C-alpha cells in the first residue's frame, strides 16, 4: 500500500519524507488556503522534496478554464497529478489530460458509479472520501470495498484507488485489507500507526536488561 500525506505544510512533508515511507502528497484548495503560501511555488517545492505523485487541484469548475489550469499545473513538474472534481466537466478534463500523458486525480468521489466514470475517463487515481461519508452516517469503507471489487473485474481499468478523507488508523488498516492501492491522510494519523503500548513497555524492559549486561555493541 502506498502512503501519501494530505497536507500543504512543507515542514510536515519533509518530516514524513525523512521516514522513507512516503510515496506521494495530496493537496486541496482548503489545505492551500490554510498554508497561506503561493500555490504554484508551493507545488514546485513539494515536487522537489517528494519524487512520487503530488496532487495539485484546479480552482475553476468550467471545462475550458479547468483544462487551462490543469495544463499549467502539469508543467510545474513531471510528478504533478492534476486534481479535478468528479463532475461532467471535470471528467472531460480528466480524459483530455490523461490522453496527453498527464496523471489525473479525480476527487470528491462518493459513489461506486462515480468511480466507474473516473476509470473510464482514464484517471490515474480516484479519491473516495471515507471520513466525510462516515460524518453523514454512511459507511465510507463500504465504498472502498465496492470500488476495489469493481475495478478488479476490469483489467483494462488502470485507475488506482486513493483512499482519502482518512481520519484514523482503522481506516488505513481496513483499506489495506481490501486491497486499496493508496491512502492519503494528515501526518498525525500516520504517526498513530507506529504506536502500541506493548512496544513501549517491551522496549523499556529491553533497555533496562541490557544495562545489566554491562556490555556495549559499539
Ligand atoms: O484531500 C482530500 C481529503 O483527504 C480531505 O479530507 O478530512 O477534509 O475530509 P477531509
Amino acid at each position: 500500500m502506498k502512503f501519501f500525506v494530505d497536507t500543504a505544510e512543507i515542514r510536515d512533508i519533509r518530516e514524513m519524507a525523512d521516514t522513507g515511507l512516503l510515496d506521494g502528497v495530496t493537496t486541496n484548495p482548503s489545505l492551500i488556503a490554510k498554508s497561506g503560501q503561493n500555490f504554484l511555488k508551493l507545488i514546485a517545492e513539494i515536487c522537489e522534496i517528494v519524487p512520487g505523485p503530488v496532487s495539485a487541484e484546479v480552482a475553476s469548475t468550467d471545462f475550458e478554464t479547468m483544462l487551462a489550469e490543469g495544463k499549467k499545473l502539469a508543467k510545474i513538474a513531471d510528478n504533478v497529478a492534476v486534481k479535478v472534481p468528479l463532475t461532467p466537466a471535470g471528467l472531460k478534463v480528466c480524459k483530455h489530460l490523461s490522453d496527453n500523458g498527464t496523471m489525473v486525480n479525480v476527487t470528491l468521489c462518493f459513489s461506486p458509479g462515480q468511480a466507474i466514470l473516473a476509470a473510464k475517463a482514464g484517471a490515474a487515481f480516484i479519491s473516495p472520501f471515507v471520513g466525510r461519508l462516515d460524518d453523514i452516517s454512511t459507511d465510507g469503507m463500504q465504498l472502498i470495498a465496492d470500488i476495489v471489487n469493481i475495478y478488479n473485474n476490469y483489467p483494462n481499468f488502470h485507475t488506482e484507488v486513493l483512499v482519502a478523507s482518512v481520519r484514523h488508523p482503522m481506516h488505513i488498516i481496513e483499506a489495506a485489507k481490501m486491497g486499496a492501492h493508496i491512502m492519503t491522510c494528515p501526518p498525525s494519523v500516520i504517526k498513530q500507526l507506529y504506536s502500541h503500548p506493548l512496544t513501549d513497555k517491551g522496549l523499556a524492559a529491553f533497555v533496562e536488561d541490557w544495562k545489566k549486561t554491562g556490555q556495549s555493541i559499539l
Side-chain angles (χ1 to χ4, degrees):
M1 180 185 234
K2 285 178 266 189
F3 277 18
F4 289 4
V5 70
D6 198 29
T7 181
E9 302 300 328
I10 289 290
R11 201 181 54 182
D12 289 345
I13 292 166
R14 283 193 196 282
E15 189 190 344
M16 281 293 133
D18 274 352
T19 66
L21 306 179
L22 189 63
D23 302 296
V25 177
T26 51
T27 65
N28 63 39
S30 306
L31 294 170
I32 298 297
K34 196 171 152 198
S35 78
Q37 300 297 308
N38 175 280
F39 179 39
L40 301 181
K41 284 185 191 162
L42 187 64
I43 294 298
E45 194 176 352
I46 297 171
C47 286
E48 279 183 14
I49 299 168
V50 180
V54 174
S55 288
E57 189 159 343
V58 297
S60 300
T61 55
D62 68 285
F63 170 72
E64 297 292 347
T65 321
M66 268 195 283
L67 184 60
E69 289 175 347
K71 284 179 178 173
K72 184 166 179 178
L73 292 171
K75 277 190 193 141
I76 294 175
D78 288 344
N79 55 329
V80 165
V82 175
K83 209 170 175 187
V84 300
L86 209 155
T87 61
L91 291 185
K92 205 169 148 187
V93 171
C94 174
K95 180 81 176 111
H96 272 68
L97 293 176
S98 301
D99 283 352
N100 287 303
T102 296
M103 286 185 288
V104 178
N105 177 0
V106 177
T107 190
L108 292 168
C109 172
F110 294 96
S111 80
Q114 290 179 318
I116 294 171
L117 291 173
K120 287 183 65 63
F125 311 106
I126 181 69
S127 291
F129 281 29
V130 293
R132 293 192 194 186
L133 280 170
D134 290 351
D135 288 344
I136 58 161
S137 306
T138 302
D139 186 355
M141 294 315 300
Q142 184 56 50
L143 175 60
I144 304 305
D146 288 344
I147 297 172
V148 169
N149 284 340
I150 290 167
Y151 281 8
N152 282 342
N153 287 337
Y154 298 94
N156 61 322
F157 282 176
H158 300 299
T159 306
E160 292 190 286
V161 180
L162 198 176
V163 182
S165 189
V166 164
R167 303 277 174 77
H168 51 72
M170 286 314 293
H171 276 152
I172 301 173
I173 294 162
E174 290 302 319
K177 284 183 188 172
M178 291 168 183
H181 307 90
I182 311 163
M183 74 82 203
T184 190
C185 69
S188 57
V189 181
I190 295 178
K191 286 177 187 168
Q192 282 180 275
L193 285 179
Y194 286 94
S195 302
H196 198 287
L198 290 180
T199 303
D200 298 340
K201 191 179 169 193
L203 181 58
F206 287 156
V207 167
E208 282 310 307
D209 288 343
W210 178 252
K211 280 182 196 161
K212 291 175 198 162
T213 71
Q215 300 179 49
S216 166
I217 295 173
L218 297 176

